[in-house]
């Protein structure tokens, strides 16, 4: 979930599927992970590039499998990982290669994120 205040909205207009909000800024939870997804597809009825910020693996999976109306192709996904996940200072942004469910956690998934650089991060932190 993303948080913003009404006065932080730059504008709002009707789109084909819903009301589109244009934000000046948005607050991200500093202990949560997010995905910055880049792709091509339908944007307001025309084919072109798009970028989405999503906050869960299920929503990311819908985009990657093309189940969202606008998502015809995903080009790359970046993981925005909190310091609690990476053990580094501040938020890290890593190009993502793969997401796996940690064996034995299928009923309540713990995700393993593998970056293009070969680093492994887990969604659950100790």
């Amino acid at each position: 979930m993303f948080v913003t205040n009404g006065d932080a909205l730059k504008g709002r207009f009707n789109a084909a599927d819903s009301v589109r909000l244009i934000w000046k800024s948005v607050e991200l939870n500093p202990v949560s992970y997010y995905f910055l997804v880049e792709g091509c597809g339908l944007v307001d009825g025309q084919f072109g590039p798009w970028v989405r910020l999503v906050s869960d693996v299920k929503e990311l999976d819908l985009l990657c499998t093309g189940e969202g109306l606008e998502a015809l192709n995903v080009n790359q996904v970046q993981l925005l990982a909190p310091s609690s996940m990476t053990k580094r200072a501040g938020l890290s942004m890593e190009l993502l290669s793969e997401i796996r469910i940690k064996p034995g956690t299928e009923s309540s998934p713990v995700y393993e994120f593998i970056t293009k650089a070969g680093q492994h991060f887990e969604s659950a932190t100790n």
Side-chain angles (χ1 to χ4, degrees):
M1 175 184 353
F2 308 111
V3 179
T4 192
N5 297 320
D7 60 350
L9 287 174
K10 189 171 184 174
R12 115 184 24 222
F13 62 94
N14 290 326
D17 55 350
S18 65
V19 173
R20 183 84 41 124
L21 304 175
I22 301 174
W23 297 346
K24 291 182 201 171
S25 64
V26 64
E27 287 181 38
L28 300 179
N29 185 335
V31 296
S32 295
Y33 58 87
Y34 300 91
F35 304 102
L36 187 68
V37 187
E38 298 177 35
C40 293
L42 294 176
V43 179
D44 295 332
Q46 297 183 349
F47 185 78
W50 54 256
V51 177
R52 300 281 187 276
L53 186 63
V54 297
S55 59
D56 65 45
V57 173
K58 290 178 184 173
E59 189 174 353
L60 174 62
D61 189 45
L62 288 175
L63 289 172
C64 290
T65 57
E67 292 182 38
L69 293 176
E70 72 282 347
L72 299 179
N73 184 38
V74 170
N75 298 330
Q76 69 177 15
V77 177
Q78 300 215 34
L79 171 67
L80 280 75
S83 60
S84 60
M85 184 185 286
T86 63
K87 309 299 184 229
R88 299 184 206 146
L91 188 69
S92 295
M93 194 165 170
E94 304 281 344
L95 195 56
L96 200 55
S97 175
E98 183 179 355
I99 299 175
R100 301 179 196 153
I101 295 177
K102 187 174 181 176
T105 68
E106 291 79 8
S107 62
S108 183
V110 172
Y111 297 104
E112 297 176 325
F113 304 112
I114 297 92
T115 68
K116 289 278 188 189
Q119 297 173 304
H120 290 238
F121 302 114
E122 279 191 13
S123 62
T125 56
N126 298 328

